[in-house]
Amino acid sequence: MMNYPALSSFALALLALFLKSSLLSGIQIISRLRSRRFILPEDAGMIGVRQAETETDIVQRCSLIWRNDVENLPLFLALALTYTLLGGEKSSANWLFGSYVLLRYLHTIVYLRGLQPWRAIMYLAGMAVCWMIAVGIFQHLPL
């Protein structure tokens, strides 16, 4: 880790985002089981209920959060990994990566609760952190 001082920061951010995704999956599973609403016939059949036409609101929101994460987390992880591999400072990585993770958790919470403009604010703040990481990458490039 001497060559990559920010590696532990990257690993913690990765684990925290994995935990967030796992929790979101858990919410979906529990919500489906409680409501007994399944849109796929094989899922409904496994539980012994009729196929539903729509998911519950919370399951739909979870799906939208998943889609948003799939669009955004890979960009952050690529930027954070690049910053780490270029030898970025641990203290900066702690602040930047930690801020991004916190903002994504907050984004998920406000998305689940349907709170605007907070959802947009959390998203834009996360993008600002990604831009700060991008600037840090540029500063560490051996030009």
Side-chain angles (χ1 to χ4, degrees):
M1 289 219 276
M2 297 285 273
N3 296 334
Y4 306 109
L7 186 58
S8 60
S9 304
F10 176 78
L12 284 173
L14 180 64
L15 289 172
L17 292 170
F18 173 72
L19 174 62
K20 184 184 90 64
S21 297
S22 297
L23 291 171
L24 195 59
S25 289
I27 291 170
Q28 283 183 299
I29 292 166
I30 291 167
S31 297
R32 284 185 177 120
L33 290 171
R34 282 186 179 167
S35 69
R36 302 180 59 82
R37 286 174 65 181
F38 299 89
I39 61 170
L40 296 175
E42 62 271 19
D43 295 344
M46 183 176 71
I47 302 298
V49 297
R50 295 174 79 185
Q51 180 181 358
E53 291 186 30
T54 61
E55 297 271 19
T56 62
D57 182 55
I58 190 77
V59 173
Q60 289 178 30
R61 283 187 178 275
C62 286
S63 294
L64 292 169
I65 294 166
W66 262 103
R67 188 175 77 193
N68 188 276
D69 282 350
V70 167
E71 293 169 353
N72 290 281
L73 296 186
L75 295 173
F76 162 74
L77 292 170
L79 288 166
L81 181 60
T82 302
Y83 182 83
T84 299
L85 294 177
L86 286 172
E89 297 85 17
K90 182 180 178 75
S91 59
S92 296
N94 285 341
W95 187 87
L96 291 166
F97 302 173
S99 295
Y100 185 83
V101 168
L102 176 62
L103 288 164
R104 289 309 295 186
Y105 269 83
L106 292 172
H107 178 267
T108 295
I109 291 166
V110 298
Y111 207 137
L112 285 172
R113 300 195 62 209
L115 301 176
Q116 276 290 26
W118 294 107
R119 189 178 90 221
I121 291 168
M122 295 304 125
Y123 170 78
L124 292 172
M127 287 304 295
V129 171
C130 285
W131 275 101
M132 287 186 251
I133 297 169
V135 168
I137 290 169
F138 185 76
Q139 291 171 340
H140 283 87
L141 286 176
L143 300 175

